[in-house]
Amino acid sequence: MLPGPTNVPPRVMRAMLKPLIGHRGPEFKELFTKLLGKTKKIFETKGDMFILTSSGTGATEAALQNITEDGDKIIVNVNGFFSERLGEAIKAYGGRPVVLSSEWGKAPLVEDFNRIVKANPDAKALAVVYNETSTGVTVRALEQLGELCADYDMLLMVDAISIQGGDKLPVDDWNVDICVTASQKCLMTPPGLAFISVSDKAWTKIKSKKVNRSYYLDLQMYNKYIEDGYTPFTPAVTLLYALSEACDMILEEGLPARYERHRVCAEAVYNGMEAMGLGLYAEKESRSHTVAAVNSPLGMDEGKVRELIRTKYGIDLGGSLGKAKGKMFRVGIMGNVGSSDIMTTVGAIGSATSELGFKAKIDEGLEAARETLSRLPGRVN
Amino acid sequence: MLPGPTNVPPRVMRAMLKPLIGHRGPEFKELFTKLLGKTKKIFETKGDMFILTSSGTGATEAALQNITEDGDKIIVNVNGFFSERLGEAIKAYGGRPVVLSSEWGKAPLVEDFNRIVKANPDAKALAVVYNETSTGVTVRALEQLGELCADYDMLLMVDAISIQGGDKLPVDDWNVDICVTASQKCLMTPPGLAFISVSDKAWTKIKSKKVNRSYYLDLQMYNKYIEDGYTPFTPAVTLLYALSEACDMILEEGLPARYERHRVCAEAVYNGMEAMGLGLYAEKESRSHTVAAVNSPLGMDEGKVRELIRTKYGIDLGGSLGKAKGKMFRVGIMGNVGSSDIMTTVGAIGSATSELGFKAKIDEGLEAARETLSRLPGRVN
């Protein structure tokens, strides 16, 4: 139950064992072309899609590198470890981050975004971390930010690493120009692949850029090869096999059903924790459907809580990062999760915190989670 | 029999199916720390080792990015598609390539390297493509180039992508400061991982660099995390499982035995082709032990030759790239290869070229290959 890498279904793992193929041959072309189609369906975009052999951070940098000229302003919401990292990456590529800070555990409001965009109409892009994995916070205003950016000559770049495939994000409908995600989160594929969608509006910025600062992360280079069905550099073929199977599973379930499953599972965790007497790190209206951040009770060291849960109950939970270090732990609700995972996890958290001295109301917690999960359809419940 | 990705032994493929682990937990730390030790043994280095989730090109760029300041001179030998690409990558990172050209199919001589290094003592590095995969040429002077660079304040950076693990390259003994390779070649692991070794001399250059132009490819960032046994970004864990198994196989065979096996197998291909009446693309003294470039006979379209071999004999061969396009095809001799692979391939090339109108002396070719392969020890013969 980590917030990535997430559990990979056996069907997806097994797919990796197909014999390797050359990445310049017809079989690869067929696989890759189909994969672009499948991932576009999941992103709900008719724009261009790129699949890179890298982690999500690599793809985020590819996105930044391809739009940023030295000195370019990029607005970025910072409210956790990963959005801080995004701000740093903007600097590494010569950009100037204009930071919209909010407290960790909170998301900026639409009016905050409006204000900063209006004050910086010359910014090249608004970069939004849609789901701040370190704090369990989702920027619910994303659709409105798309409308905002559509009114300006400003790109909307979205870091959707820990959320795409687990919560709503129709790239074209929401005017997202560049959307980035990675394989090991809601796409329930082993880590090693990352994805970037690019709109026509984004292409005009990419093409007009004077200096190209990378080769491996150059989207124009990828574009040239993609026209023929290939990648410019050797791709992680076994992971593409896995991805293909995972996409099939995602599309078989259907995006709305999938998002609803994640929402209900997340709510079951939140309700379970609260009923048990545990506090939640994120403000109610911004709580993520793919990762839940739970406060460690009684100033208890979260490392100890997680270690006990890992060794005694066999469940891996996420630790805390940056300035939340030691204060909370995180439950990933990504991809291949259902009732039994949630119930087991809620129970283990109750038992472990009790064992460490917190009087968790375990029965109430389990009952609240169970009650919430009963809303899932029978097939996954 | 592609020049990458190469055949992955079933034992290595199966290793990928272990359950996924979190990349911030103790099991990962143990796996990763052991892997650094194993890969250092293969590189024959006591220096630092980095394992990136990227293709070889990504690692090459990481090497360049971390040493190159805007305007820095880097000498590079260009004699094929991949060394041309390296020259381009140097430019992308703000460097100025000083090109030592030689004809495709040939390697520059030591005196050529001496001359260009002496004429450019201010160059930051000499970047050498040790094995030009596109033409089947190995720079046999590498050890001497290490001595040359040791006399200057100049780094020796080696692109060993298609050769490390298949031919001799003792990084420390040969004074190689930065050595780059990838998983899918002689390391017989699926594609998606790349490797960089870094000497102390290289670290002084990396640390004194003023501007850092990447985040995902920042070796100082990797170094910080490696001290604790981790990677800064999500690594491709299933590929690390495979790599671990492959390293065990490599170290069980032993490096000298492994290099000898590659050498004999390559020689069997060369002897087989020549006895059959087919020409070889690379000059005799520079012929690679990991990839053989064979001229297409009678101006025959190489695409047709490969297509026939692929469909009728089930063997994938490498095509020709860049200005050799259409004129030759390539046989990969990397990693998991032995007598039966070589014999089948030699036979298929003979039959296919015959079917397309070339009077290949098939019997002579097979006999020459067989005779050469008899030098292999019984275990792999």
Tab-separated table of all heavy atoms in Angstrom, chain A residues 9 11 20 46 125 136 157 163 165 172 194 206 219 227 244 285-286 307 309 324 333 353 359:
chain	number	residue	atom	x	y	z
A	9	PRO	N	-0.730	-6.138	-10.695
A	9	PRO	CA	-1.503	-7.383	-10.812
A	9	PRO	C	-0.661	-8.487	-11.453
A	9	PRO	O	0.151	-8.204	-12.343
A	9	PRO	CB	-2.661	-6.990	-11.737
A	9	PRO	CG	-2.705	-5.494	-11.722
A	9	PRO	CD	-1.323	-5.027	-11.427
A	11	ARG	N	-1.323	-10.570	-13.659
A	11	ARG	CA	-1.500	-10.576	-15.120
A	11	ARG	C	-0.515	-9.609	-15.796
A	11	ARG	O	0.012	-9.890	-16.870
A	11	ARG	CB	-2.957	-10.166	-15.390
A	11	ARG	CG	-3.361	-10.047	-16.813
A	11	ARG	CD	-4.856	-9.700	-16.914
A	11	ARG	NE	-5.127	-9.052	-18.181
A	11	ARG	CZ	-6.269	-8.475	-18.513
A	11	ARG	NH1	-7.295	-8.467	-17.664
A	11	ARG	NH2	-6.433	-7.909	-19.689
A	20	LEU	N	11.876	-11.020	-25.723
A	20	LEU	CA	12.235	-9.659	-26.118
A	20	LEU	C	12.224	-9.505	-27.628
A	20	LEU	O	12.573	-10.430	-28.358
A	20	LEU	CB	13.632	-9.327	-25.589
A	20	LEU	CG	13.655	-8.828	-24.148
A	20	LEU	CD1	15.071	-8.776	-23.623
A	20	LEU	CD2	13.018	-7.447	-24.048
A	46	LYS	N	-6.470	13.683	-27.656
A	46	LYS	CA	-6.175	13.416	-29.064
A	46	LYS	C	-4.836	14.060	-29.425
A	46	LYS	O	-4.404	14.015	-30.568
A	46	LYS	CB	-7.295	13.969	-29.943
A	46	LYS	CG	-8.615	13.227	-29.779
A	46	LYS	CD	-9.622	13.653	-30.844
A	46	LYS	CE	-10.840	12.748	-30.943
A	46	LYS	NZ	-11.357	12.186	-29.689
A	125	ALA	N	4.367	29.370	-18.454
A	125	ALA	CA	3.486	28.255	-18.075
A	125	ALA	C	3.077	28.360	-16.617
A	125	ALA	O	3.761	28.982	-15.805
A	125	ALA	CB	4.202	26.927	-18.315
A	136	GLY	N	-0.765	14.212	0.380
A	136	GLY	CA	-2.120	13.702	0.118
A	136	GLY	C	-3.106	14.787	-0.262
A	136	GLY	O	-4.284	14.713	0.086
A	157	MET	N	0.810	23.146	-17.436
A	157	MET	CA	1.575	21.903	-17.339
A	157	MET	C	1.182	21.219	-16.031
A	157	MET	O	1.209	21.852	-14.977
A	157	MET	CB	3.070	22.243	-17.321
A	157	MET	CG	3.924	21.022	-17.077
A	157	MET	SD	5.655	21.463	-16.792
A	157	MET	CE	6.093	20.076	-15.742
A	163	ILE	N	-1.478	10.360	-9.872
A	163	ILE	CA	-2.939	10.411	-9.955
A	163	ILE	C	-3.519	9.981	-11.299
A	163	ILE	O	-4.613	9.417	-11.332
A	163	ILE	CB	-3.427	11.836	-9.553
A	163	ILE	CG1	-4.939	11.884	-9.351
A	163	ILE	CG2	-2.960	12.883	-10.548
A	163	ILE	CD1	-5.423	13.089	-8.572
A	165	GLY	N	-5.007	8.103	-14.094
A	165	GLY	CA	-5.513	6.730	-14.103
A	165	GLY	C	-6.229	6.372	-12.814
A	165	GLY	O	-6.850	5.318	-12.710
A	172	ASP	N	-7.746	16.858	-22.685
A	172	ASP	CA	-8.231	17.819	-23.688
A	172	ASP	C	-9.359	18.688	-23.128
A	172	ASP	O	-9.343	19.906	-23.284
A	172	ASP	CB	-8.722	17.080	-24.950
A	172	ASP	CG	-7.555	16.474	-25.723
A	172	ASP	OD1	-6.394	16.704	-25.332
A	172	ASP	OD2	-7.805	15.759	-26.715
A	194	ALA	N	7.690	6.633	-18.158
A	194	ALA	CA	6.990	7.875	-17.848
A	194	ALA	C	6.332	8.405	-19.118
A	194	ALA	O	6.696	8.001	-20.232
A	194	ALA	CB	7.962	8.888	-17.267
A	206	ILE	N	7.249	24.735	-27.907
A	206	ILE	CA	8.392	23.820	-28.015
A	206	ILE	C	9.181	24.109	-29.287
A	206	ILE	O	10.407	24.193	-29.278
A	206	ILE	CB	7.906	22.345	-27.993
A	206	ILE	CG1	7.306	22.012	-26.627
A	206	ILE	CG2	9.048	21.391	-28.333
A	206	ILE	CD1	6.601	20.664	-26.549
A	219	LEU	N	11.772	16.336	-26.991
A	219	LEU	CA	10.499	15.823	-27.525
A	219	LEU	C	10.406	15.918	-29.049
A	219	LEU	O	9.736	15.109	-29.681
A	219	LEU	CB	9.319	16.557	-26.888
A	219	LEU	CG	9.123	16.303	-25.388
A	219	LEU	CD1	7.911	17.072	-24.873
A	219	LEU	CD2	8.943	14.809	-25.090
A	227	GLU	N	6.621	9.212	-35.576
A	227	GLU	CA	5.905	9.192	-36.859
A	227	GLU	C	6.043	7.839	-37.555
A	227	GLU	O	5.139	7.390	-38.239
A	227	GLU	CB	6.428	10.303	-37.769
A	227	GLU	CG	5.865	11.665	-37.382
A	227	GLU	CD	6.543	12.823	-38.114
A	227	GLU	OE1	7.211	12.576	-39.139
A	227	GLU	OE2	6.399	13.965	-37.629
A	244	SER	N	1.155	-2.537	-21.583
A	244	SER	CA	0.092	-2.878	-22.525
A	244	SER	C	-1.023	-3.663	-21.821
A	244	SER	O	-2.217	-3.384	-21.991
A	244	SER	CB	0.693	-3.688	-23.673
A	244	SER	OG	-0.311	-4.045	-24.575
A	285	GLU	N	-11.391	19.296	2.028
A	285	GLU	CA	-11.819	19.536	0.634
A	285	GLU	C	-10.740	19.211	-0.405
A	285	GLU	O	-11.044	19.129	-1.594
A	285	GLU	CB	-12.329	20.968	0.453
A	285	GLU	CG	-11.335	22.048	0.842
A	285	GLU	CD	-11.404	22.405	2.336
A	285	GLU	OE1	-11.713	21.541	3.189
A	285	GLU	OE2	-11.117	23.560	2.653
A	286	SER	N	-9.495	19.025	0.045
A	286	SER	CA	-8.420	18.755	-0.925
A	286	SER	C	-7.867	17.347	-0.791
A	286	SER	O	-6.858	17.016	-1.400
A	286	SER	CB	-7.275	19.760	-0.729
A	286	SER	OG	-7.765	21.073	-0.803
A	307	GLU	N	7.443	0.589	10.528
A	307	GLU	CA	8.295	-0.583	10.656
A	307	GLU	C	7.513	-1.744	11.282
A	307	GLU	O	7.600	-2.896	10.836
A	307	GLU	CB	9.528	-0.229	11.510
A	307	GLU	CG	10.565	-1.330	11.643
A	307	GLU	CD	11.141	-1.833	10.330
A	307	GLU	OE1	10.981	-1.133	9.304
A	307	GLU	OE2	11.720	-2.934	10.317
A	309	ILE	N	4.246	-2.123	11.181
A	309	ILE	CA	3.237	-2.560	10.201
A	309	ILE	C	3.885	-3.414	9.107
A	309	ILE	O	3.330	-4.409	8.654
A	309	ILE	CB	2.505	-1.331	9.595
A	309	ILE	CG1	1.680	-0.646	10.693
A	309	ILE	CG2	1.618	-1.737	8.423
A	309	ILE	CD1	1.008	0.639	10.284
A	324	ALA	N	7.551	17.428	6.683
A	324	ALA	CA	6.576	16.608	7.408
A	324	ALA	C	7.253	15.389	8.041
A	324	ALA	O	6.610	14.575	8.708
A	324	ALA	CB	5.473	16.149	6.461
A	333	ILE	N	-3.290	4.575	-2.421
A	333	ILE	CA	-4.545	3.961	-2.888
A	333	ILE	C	-4.494	4.096	-4.405
A	333	ILE	O	-5.137	4.947	-4.990
A	333	ILE	CB	-5.766	4.717	-2.306
A	333	ILE	CG1	-5.674	4.742	-0.787
A	333	ILE	CG2	-7.090	4.085	-2.755
A	333	ILE	CD1	-6.084	6.048	-0.162
A	353	THR	N	-0.688	1.070	15.972
A	353	THR	CA	-0.659	2.275	16.814
A	353	THR	C	-1.078	1.920	18.248
A	353	THR	O	-0.536	2.482	19.204
A	353	THR	CB	-1.555	3.399	16.247
A	353	THR	OG1	-2.842	2.853	15.935
A	353	THR	CG2	-0.964	4.004	14.988
A	359	LYS	N	-4.563	4.606	22.036
A	359	LYS	CA	-5.786	3.814	22.186
A	359	LYS	C	-6.670	3.967	20.952
A	359	LYS	O	-7.635	4.745	20.941
A	359	LYS	CB	-6.535	4.261	23.437
A	359	LYS	CG	-5.884	3.711	24.692
A	359	LYS	CD	-6.781	3.864	25.906
A	359	LYS	CE	-6.083	3.252	27.115
A	359	LYS	NZ	-6.263	4.038	28.333
